[in-house]
Amino acid sequence: MDDSTERIVSALQLVCLLLPPANRRRLHLLLRLINKMATNIKLVLDESQSSRTLVSHKNLICLEM
């Protein structure tokens, strides 16, 4: 990682520490689920794109709302 990426990751980690513990745990579980879905090669959610791409795009849409 370059310096700017490391700074962004570090800042995000610090901001996440401001979350209440219960919310931080839910966020952690949600991110683990998203990661497992995105990396599961046996899971086919859409024939035209990879599961990783689909899960990433759908979650970005939810975050933008």
Side-chain angles (χ1 to χ4, degrees):
M1 282 193 281
D2 60 355
D3 187 48
S4 63
T5 305
E6 289 178 14
R7 289 179 64 181
I8 291 170
V9 169
S10 178
L12 184 58
Q13 288 173 338
L14 290 173
V15 168
C16 286
L17 287 174
L18 296 174
L19 291 171
N23 293 358
R24 197 176 330 142
R25 177 71 178 149
R26 286 188 188 117
L27 177 61
H28 179 247
L29 292 172
L30 177 62
L31 292 174
R32 282 184 56 200
L33 173 67
I34 291 169
N35 185 49
K36 284 185 178 188
M37 289 175 64
T39 57
N40 186 349
I41 59 174
K42 293 183 179 180
L43 179 65
V44 179
L45 299 172
D46 188 3
E47 295 293 329
S48 63
Q49 59 185 344
S50 70
S51 294
R52 181 181 184 126
T53 304
L54 182 67
V55 168
S56 299
H57 285 237
K58 292 298 181 183
N59 284 302
L60 283 175
I61 292 169
C62 291
L63 291 175
E64 291 174 356
M65 292 181 165

